[in-house]
Structure formats: C-alpha cells, structure tokens
C-alpha cells in the first residue's frame, strides 16, 4: 500500500511541476483528495505558517521593488560586476549571492543576467561560466537569508530561541565556500568562446558582431526619489528580525498557554508573528515615507509571484505532510537507523524531493519535520539545508531559462539528455561542498 500511495504522491508532484505556476498547488490538492477518499488518510494541519511568512516577506520585497529600492541595489551590483570584467566568473556569482541574501529572493537575478552575459561576451569569456554559477548563487543565498521564506520555515520548524542566528552562522559561510568551489568548477568549463563553433557562426553576422563589440553604454534607469530610503527601511527590518532571533528575551512575552500561530507555549512570540509584523510594518513605512502607492505594489512582478508560491505551498506541502504523517511509523522503521548513524544520507532525500518541488520553502516544510522525527539534531538539519536548492536539476526553473535566453552567444544551454545542462556541474558541486562544510561548522558552533 505504501508504494501505491507514494506513486500517487510522486505523480501529483510530477504533473504539477510540468504545469508550472500554481500547478503544484492544485495537483497537491488532487493528491490530498485521493489520500482522504481512497486511502482514508487523516489530513494534517495545512502549512499556514509558511504561507503567512511567504505573504509577508514577498509583499515587503514587492514594496521595495515598487519604491525603486531594487533598482538601486541592481545598479550597485552592476557597478561591482563591471569593475573587473576579466574576473567576472568569480565576481558575478558573489555579487548575486549577497544581493539575493539581502533581498531574500532569487528573482532579483533577472536584472543582472543580461549584464553578466554581455560583460563576459565582450571580454570573450564564455558566458556560460559566470551565468551558470550566478544562477546557482541566487538559489544558495536563500538558505541563510533572514528574509527568505525557506529560512523562516526552518526557523519555525526548529522552534528554539536563536535558531535563526545558528542557521545564518552555519549556512552562510558553508554556502560561500560551496560557491567558491563552484566557481572553480566552471572556470574552464567548455571550449573558449573564440573557439566555439556556435559563436564563430554567430560572429559572421555583421550586425551581431557590431552589437557585441559596441562600447555603447546602456542608459541607466532613473531611480525613484525614495529608492535609497526604501533600502534603508528594508535593512532595518532585516536587522530587527535578526536581533529578535538572536536575543529572544528582548521580544515581548505573555502568559504561558496553548501554542498558537502567534504565540508559543511559553508565551513568547512566534517567528511567524515577528516576521509578519516587522516586514509588513516596514512595507507600510516604505509606502508612507517614499509615497509609494499600495496599488503599485500589487502590480509588481514579485507580488504576483507570491500568489503562485502560496498556492503551491498550500497544496503540495499539505499533501506531502499528510502522506508523511500517515506513514510515519514505516518511514521511521526503514530510515531511522540509517539516518541516525549517517545523518548526511538524509540530504539525498531532501535533494531528490527538491528536484520535483521547485520550491525551497515547500521542500523545507515537507522534509525538515521528517528529519526531526528521524532523530536528526538541529545542527545536522542546518548542514543539510542547502540541499533544498536542487530545483536546478530539471532545467525548467525561471532563473535557468532566463540565463539561457540572455546568453546571445549560445554557450549556456540545455544538453541533449536534458539533465546535462550548463547548471548541473556547478549546482551539484556548490551544494555538495556546502553540505559537507555545514556539518563541519555545525560540530564547532552547536
């Protein structure tokens, strides 16, 4: 019966991932309906905590976008990338990493991908090299960013004071080291651009060659008056969240009682409350101080992507957690001993599910409670956390497709066998190294 149930789970995830957008969410609900009616499974509680966190964080990021703050950050990143074009394979991914770490979203990389591609091509550096590892960097940054839904979800799951700071202390250095090795893994990837047959053929087109060698500087987008102020407010929100996670005694406490979404059993505020109140208050401050229209915020690309993320998490995580809860005893019996003796093996399961879910937050919410149930300590889960970034394996994620489309030289591509694409090697190397380093750091920090 287990394998039949698992087949239903896998089928719903595969169909949903092919549908894109809210496909995972609606197919997750179909799977949940089958579990309830056909297999008589008792549904678990819906993932309201993660859904609320996504809504709050992404709304604040969308307000930053509407107020011009993201444009300001992109301009700063562009200056850094263009400052040393010869070393773009190393400079670009680290610039992307810190930008996404700050913003809490990988989607900001879209603005930088054409810049990275053009700068590399003008220096006759194969654009595939900096583009591929930069996309991976945008994903890795989410596992450690205090403003990402995935990190917030892990904080809620671990549920102990100071969890956010511990995650940052382990995951950020681990991901940076993984990113460094990932850069070296693509430093000489593929033939040199001047020897690439596709590029040579493209250069026969006088218009293409002229545009590539042109020194014309693209006109910079004019910043809105409140752009820098919005970034400052956003920065303050991040600092407040980190302080609340590092020093829980500074946060208001109430009378102990039953645990709710808002208040923990000991009367302390939950991270859902802290993140929601701080981020949305920051959003309000940005609107009021920079005179950004609330209607403009709802039109931003980040805001519209939030609806898709919330529906996806709602359906697929609820279905998955119901399956896990129903088969908890069997899973514990089969995996418990292996995972307890060799904690790193759990990263394989997390990585595999992340490939199908296309969502770091959904993978985190589905797999990390299972890791706790199997007896893994918090430090091991933090070390394994980067494995949720495996959404690059199947080349359907928007950031991958954008990088391919922005590379006019044709060097960044999907391979003949689909999975042998430009992002596979740097992704596997960076995540594998990050997990290994995470276990080492966890042994010293926790």
């Amino acid at each position: 019966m287990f394998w039949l149930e698992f087949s239903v789970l896998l089928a719903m995830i595969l169909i949903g991932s092919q549908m894109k957008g809210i496909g995972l969410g609606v197919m997750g609900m179909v799977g949940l309906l089958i579990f309830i009616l056909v297999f008589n499974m008792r549904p678990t509680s819906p993932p309201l905590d993660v859904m609320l966190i996504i809504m709050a964080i992404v709304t604040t990021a969308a307000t930053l976008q509407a107020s011009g703050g993201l444009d300001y950050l992109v301009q700063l990143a562009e200056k850094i990338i263009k400052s040393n074009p010869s070393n773009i394979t190393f400079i670009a991914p680290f610039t992307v990493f810190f930008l996404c770490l700050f913003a809490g979203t990988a989607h900001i990389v879209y603005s930088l991908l054409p810049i990275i591609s053009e700068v590399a091509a003008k220096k006759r550096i194969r654009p595939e090299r900096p583009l591929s590892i930069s996309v991976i960097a945008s994903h890795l940054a989410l596992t450690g960013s205090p403003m990402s839904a995935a990190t917030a979800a892990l904080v809620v799951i671990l549920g102990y004071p100071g969890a956010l700071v511990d995650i940052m202390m382990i995951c950020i250095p681990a991901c940076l080291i993984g990113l460094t090795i990932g850069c070296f893994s693509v430093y000489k990837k593929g033939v040199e651009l001047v020897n690439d047959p596709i590029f040579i053929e493209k250069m026969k087109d006088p218009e293409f060659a002229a545009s590539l060698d042109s020194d014309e500087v693209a006109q910079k987008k004019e910043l809105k008056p409140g752009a820098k102020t919005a970034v400052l407010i956003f920065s303050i929100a991040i600092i407040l969240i980190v302080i609340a996670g590092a020093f829980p005694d500074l946060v208001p406490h109430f009378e102990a009682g039953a645990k709710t979404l808002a208040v923990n059993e000991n009367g302390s505020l939950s991270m859902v409350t802290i993140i929601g109140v701080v981020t949305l208050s920051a959003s309000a401050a940005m609107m009021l101080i920079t005179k950004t229209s609330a209607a403009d915020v709802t039109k931003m690309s980040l805001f519209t992507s939030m609806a898709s993320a919330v529906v996806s998490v709602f359906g697929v995580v609820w279905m998955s957690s119901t399956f896990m809860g129903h088969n908890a005893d069997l899973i514990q019996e089969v995996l418990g001993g292996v995972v307890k003796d060799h904690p790193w093996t759990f990263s394989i399961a997390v990585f595999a599910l992340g490939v199908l879910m296309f969502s770091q937050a959904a993978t985190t919410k589905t797999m990390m409670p299972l890791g706790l149930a199997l007896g893994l300590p918090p430090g091991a889960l933090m070390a394994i956390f980067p494995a949720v970034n495996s959404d690059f394996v199947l080349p359907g994620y928007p950031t991958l497709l954008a990088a391919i489309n922005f590379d006019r030289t044709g060097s960044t591509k999907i391979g003949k066998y689909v999975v042998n694409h430009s992002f596979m090697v740097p992704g596997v190397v960076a995540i594998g190294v990050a997990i290994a380093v995470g276990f080492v750091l966890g042994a010293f920090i926790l």
Side-chain angles (χ1 to χ4, degrees):
M1 186 64 74
F2 171 85
W3 291 110
L4 182 58
E5 296 166 355
F6 182 72
S7 298
V8 172
L9 175 76
L10 195 60
M12 294 303 106
I13 293 176
L14 286 172
I15 295 172
S17 64
Q18 291 298 313
M19 292 170 64
K20 311 296 182 185
I22 62 172
L24 272 174
V26 296
M27 292 311 300
M29 283 302 182
V30 172
L32 182 61
L33 182 66
I34 295 172
F35 284 161
I36 293 172
L37 297 183
V38 178
F39 298 102
N40 197 34
M41 290 187 186
R42 180 187 179 93
T44 56
S45 299
L48 297 179
D49 48 1
V50 177
M51 292 166 63
L52 292 173
I53 287 170
I54 291 174
M55 290 172 61
I57 289 177
V58 178
T59 297
T60 307
T63 308
L64 183 68
Q65 184 180 22
S67 62
L70 283 185
D71 291 332
Y72 173 62
L73 292 174
V74 168
Q75 286 190 10
L76 292 179
E78 182 180 352
K79 288 181 180 178
I80 296 172
I81 290 171
K82 290 183 175 180
S83 64
N84 191 351
S86 299
N87 292 314
I88 191 171
T89 305
F90 290 93
I91 291 176
F94 282 97
T95 303
V96 167
F97 179 88
F98 285 110
L99 186 61
C100 294
L101 183 75
F102 177 83
T105 174
H107 297 297
I108 196 174
V109 77
Y110 299 133
S111 301
L112 294 177
L113 291 176
I115 298 168
I116 295 170
S117 178
E118 292 302 307
V119 170
K122 288 181 185 298
K123 293 296 292 185
R124 297 301 187 266
I125 296 172
R126 189 176 179 86
E128 177 188 29
R129 298 168 182 172
L131 282 174
S132 61
I133 189 61
S134 293
V135 167
I136 299 303
S138 71
H139 295 202
L140 277 176
L142 304 186
T143 43
S145 168
M147 293 299 284
S148 79
T151 299
L154 182 57
V155 171
V156 172
I157 291 167
L158 295 177
Y160 70 86
L164 174 60
V165 176
D166 288 344
I167 293 171
M168 294 174 66
M169 289 177 65
I170 291 175
C171 291
I172 293 178
C175 288
L176 283 172
I177 294 174
L179 185 59
T180 301
I181 305 302
C183 289
F184 280 107
S185 74
V186 297
Y187 185 61
K188 291 296 181 181
K189 182 176 176 60
V191 298
E192 295 300 328
L193 188 62
V194 292
N195 299 323
D196 191 317
I198 298 176
F199 180 72
I200 293 174
E201 188 65 28
K202 284 179 175 288
M203 287 296 287
K204 293 179 181 179
D205 180 356
E207 186 176 344
F208 176 83
S211 67
L212 199 64
D213 293 327
S214 172
D215 292 328
E216 181 181 349
V217 179
Q219 186 175 2
K220 287 186 177 180
K221 185 175 181 180
E222 186 176 349
L223 290 177
K224 294 183 178 180
K228 295 180 181 180
T229 302
V231 171
L232 177 61
I233 295 171
F234 193 82
S235 303
I236 293 172
I238 295 176
I239 293 171
L240 289 176
I241 291 173
V242 173
I243 290 175
F247 306 101
D249 290 338
L250 298 178
V251 179
H253 281 65
F254 303 91
E255 186 178 351
K259 183 177 181 179
T260 65
L261 269 176
V263 183
N264 297 318
E265 292 178 355
N266 63 357
S268 62
L269 293 178
S270 69
M271 284 304 296
V272 176
T273 301
I274 294 171
I275 292 172
V277 170
V278 171
T279 55
L280 289 180
S281 295
S283 183
M286 280 187 267
M287 292 182 202
L288 294 171
I289 297 174
T290 67
K291 294 180 173 58
T292 299
S293 168
D296 288 343
V297 174
T298 61
K299 296 175 184 176
M300 293 296 104
S301 59
L302 285 179
F303 191 87
T304 54
S305 70
M306 178 259 290
S308 176
V310 169
V311 173
S312 295
V313 167
F314 186 35
V316 75
V317 173
W318 201 0
M319 172 186 67
S320 302
S321 64
T322 297
F323 170 81
M324 299 291 187
H326 183 75
N327 295 285
D329 292 339
L330 179 60
I331 295 173
Q332 174 71 36
E333 181 181 346
V334 174
L335 299 179
V338 175
V339 170
K340 191 172 183 179
D341 293 338
H342 307 285
W344 65 269
T345 57
F346 187 65
S347 64
I348 299 174
V350 175
F351 188 92
L353 193 64
V355 171
L356 302 174
M357 282 197 165
F358 281 94
S359 169
Q360 290 95 336
T363 306
T364 301
K365 182 62 178 175
T366 299
M367 296 302 292
M368 293 309 178
L370 175 61
L372 283 178
L374 293 174
L376 287 177
L381 293 180
M382 293 175 196
I384 293 169
F385 191 27
V388 305
N389 292 298
S390 55
D391 45 13
F392 68 88
V393 173
L394 299 177
Y397 200 80
T399 52
L400 277 71
L401 298 178
I404 292 170
N405 292 328
F406 281 129
D407 183 0
R408 295 195 295 145
T409 69
S411 67
T412 309
K413 55 186 178 294
I414 298 174
K416 179 181 179 180
Y417 304 104
V418 181
V419 293
N420 61 327
H421 50 72
S422 298
F423 311 88
M424 182 62 77
V425 170
V428 171
V429 170
I431 290 175
V433 172
I435 293 172
V437 173
F439 273 105
V440 175
L441 292 176
F444 286 99
I445 295 174
L446 299 182

